[in-house]
Amino acid sequence: MQKSVYICQNCAWEGSKWHGKCPQCQAWNSVTEELKPVLSSAKRPHFFVSDSDKKPHPFSQIIKQDKKSFPSGLKEFDRVLGAGFVPGAFILLGGSPGVGKSTLLLQVCGHVSQTKKVLYISAEESPSQSALRASRLNIDRPELLFFSANSLEDILFQAEKIKPDLLILDSIQTVYLKSLSSAPGTVAQVRECAGLLMNFAKSSSITVVIVGHVTKDGSLAGPRVLEHLVDTVLSIEGESESQCRVLRSSKNRFGPNNEIALFEMNEEGLREITNPSEFFLSERLQDPIGSVIFPAIEGSRPLLCEIQALVTSSYLPMPRRACVGLDINRVHLVGAVLDKYIQIDLGKKDLSVNLVGGLKITEPAGDLAIAVAILSSRFKAPIDSKSCFFSEIGLTGELRSCRFALERVQEAEKLGFKQVYLPKSLESFFKKKRVKIKLNFKSHIEEFKF
């Protein structure tokens, strides 16, 4: 027996009637009708019977199986995973179309297939299309097997027959179960397919990596239960106009969260950026106006990035504000503080702030760098190219301490910078540290008048 239910394809809300706007996530035109089997009360068992011989045991009696992880062949990829691929892990990789998801995974397959058996399944491309990409990446190994299918039953049949060490599925939104009447990509299909793949990964100790699509706002498409099922959630980000790609982990049961890896897209695929600070500063001018270096922290990695600001006269009743790579709300906050305590008259100026290189940073430690870049552009004062700035700015103009101060200073020192401007509240902390770089401790934004 089956009944019709209405399910939101965005948040998996379920109801008995159709809505043009989802009552839970407020998304328009996301509710679709699906058939759901119903178990009548007469057939519903009052108790459960199991033929399994499994029993609960205390941790002291459980034999720990040593499942050694194996590397992906890309050090930056392993940095995000924690220690490479763990047998039995279930990994989700998301990203916008054309950002490089398939290219990255195919490169990983090429490295892993040198020592392990790999099965790459494409539910979106034909064998000839995938072969062209593999040829462009110079990947041709007998241990790397390719299979094109959309039916999950066929995919799991081949996986159980081949028993690979690594299984790649591209993508979860295009596969389907024959036993379900709903279309591929619907909540029911994605949820059931992901559940079967998770059980397969855990029971067979095969590492499974699935590719997921993203919505217009950049979040992973499909029900949120998909992110709860997997062990690791990775996302690859990057602008189409930029060659830089950022691989980020938002969930990881086997390693650190919010860790990032950087790649450069070129004709031969994705190239690892082992020194991101040097990469982002390679084209910087000497003693520029409106350009400031900020030692940011992404995950556990410090990297130096360039923040640029441009202040120009406005001929509009309401001056324009443009911001790329930074939180526009923090830029408004910093501008208001500068107007209050240094009187730079931003109310009649157009303001543009840019984080060079295609990165996106939201941490408040960049407030001071934004402020100094705005002041430099406003008064046409050059900034020493060997200086770094980091501090959070309060609404009363005070400079506040921020996390990972020592790591930021050490990264600036390693790249050959001469001095760092930071909040005075960290002075006692650095008295016990041995750093060769000059430290300039400031307590208020008024101390940066040009």
Side-chain angles (χ1 to χ4, degrees), residues 72 74-81 85 104 234 247 263:
S72 66
L74 299 175
K75 293 183 179 179
E76 290 294 304
F77 198 90
D78 289 337
R79 169 193 287 272
V80 177
L81 291 177
F85 291 114
L104 176 62
L234 306 178
L247 181 67
F263 298 89

Side-chain angles (χ1 to χ4, degrees), residues 101-117:
K101 302 185 298 296
S102 301
T103 300
L104 176 62
L105 290 179
L106 199 55
Q107 286 185 241
V108 169
C109 290
H111 290 287
V112 175
S113 60
Q114 297 179 10
T115 56
K116 302 288 184 179
K117 185 183 293 185

Side-chain angles (χ1 to χ4, degrees), residues 1-5 34-44:
M1 180 179 178
Q2 291 182 331
K3 72 172 184 178
S4 294
V5 294
E34 295 184 13
L35 294 177
K36 184 177 182 181
V38 178
L39 185 63
S40 64
S41 59
K43 297 181 180 180
R44 187 174 297 142

Side-chain angles (χ1 to χ4, degrees), residues 147-445:
F147 184 55
S148 178
N150 294 92
S151 170
L152 187 64
E153 289 90 345
D154 297 339
I155 292 172
L156 292 180
F157 174 78
Q158 293 295 332
E160 290 179 348
K161 183 179 178 181
I162 297 172
K163 290 182 171 55
D165 298 290
L166 176 63
L167 172 65
I168 307 291
L169 174 58
D170 187 5
S171 66
I172 188 63
Q173 275 85 12
T174 53
V175 298
Y176 63 91
L177 280 169
K178 298 177 182 178
S179 57
L180 296 179
S181 59
S182 55
T186 58
V187 170
Q189 287 284 2
V190 171
R191 182 169 50 202
E192 294 301 321
C193 290
L196 288 175
L197 287 169
M198 182 196 67
N199 293 332
F200 172 75
K202 303 303 178 184
S203 61
S204 60
S205 296
I206 294 176
T207 304
V208 176
V209 181
I210 60 175
V211 175
H213 296 166
V214 297
T215 58
K216 292 181 180 179
D217 60 356
S219 59
L220 285 165
R224 297 292 296 182
V225 68
L226 184 61
E227 298 183 38
H228 298 302
L229 281 175
V230 300
D231 299 312
T232 304
V233 178
L234 306 178
S235 61
I236 182 168
E237 309 163 358
E239 301 294 335
S240 57
E241 298 82 6
S242 173
Q243 294 181 333
C244 181
R245 299 291 185 268
V246 180
L247 181 67
R248 191 186 307 270
S249 65
S250 57
K251 172 188 176 182
N252 195 350
R253 290 174 179 163
F254 309 112
N257 289 331
N258 298 319
E259 189 62 81
I260 70 164
L262 297 173
F263 298 89
E264 182 184 8
M265 177 68 78
N266 54 35
E267 296 179 354
E268 299 178 356
L270 291 169
R271 182 183 66 85
E272 297 177 274
I273 301 177
T274 56
N275 192 339
S277 298
E278 185 176 355
F279 174 80
F280 289 122
L281 304 181
S282 59
E283 300 180 5
R284 189 169 184 254
L285 302 176
Q286 290 292 326
D287 298 338
I289 294 177
S291 173
V292 172
I293 300 301
F294 165 55
I297 295 291
E298 285 292 324
S300 61
R301 161 184 282 188
L303 55 93
L304 302 184
C305 53
E306 181 182 0
I307 295 179
Q308 295 179 342
L310 180 63
V311 180
T312 57
S313 299
S314 178
Y315 301 97
L316 300 175
M318 182 177 294
R320 290 174 293 185
R321 299 289 184 264
C323 183
V324 178
L326 298 166
D327 185 2
I328 186 63
N329 294 320
R330 299 213 67 87
V331 174
H332 287 318
L333 183 148
V334 171
V337 172
L338 293 177
D339 258 341
K340 174 69 174 179
Y341 294 100
I342 305 185
Q343 291 83 38
I344 62 175
D345 197 19
L346 277 180
K348 300 179 181 179
K349 304 290 183 180
D350 289 335
L351 174 61
S352 302
V353 183
N354 177 38
L355 183 62
V356 179
L359 286 175
K360 294 181 180 179
I361 293 177
T362 58
E363 60 170 329
D367 289 353
L368 181 58
I370 296 173
V372 174
I374 293 174
L375 291 174
S376 173
S377 178
R378 173 66 179 83
F379 297 107
K380 299 181 181 180
I383 301 296
D384 181 16
S385 58
K386 294 298 182 180
S387 298
C388 289
F389 301 79
F390 71 89
S391 175
E392 180 182 356
I393 299 179
L395 292 180
T396 58
E398 80 280 7
L399 303 188
R400 294 177 172 269
S401 60
C402 47
R403 62 191 184 109
F404 299 114
L406 180 60
E407 288 79 0
R408 299 176 197 266
V409 171
Q410 289 175 341
E411 180 70 10
E413 184 177 349
K414 184 176 69 174
L415 268 292
F417 282 78
K418 303 301 182 182
Q419 56 183 346
V420 178
Y421 291 84
L422 63 167
K424 193 173 182 62
S425 56
L426 294 173
E427 187 172 8
S428 58
F429 170 78
F430 277 97
K431 284 183 178 180
K432 304 176 184 179
K433 308 297 179 181
R434 294 182 178 180
V435 292
K436 298 180 181 179
I437 194 170
K438 181 181 178 181
L439 302 178
N440 301 298
F441 298 100
K442 305 294 182 179
S443 58
H444 199 274
I445 191 62

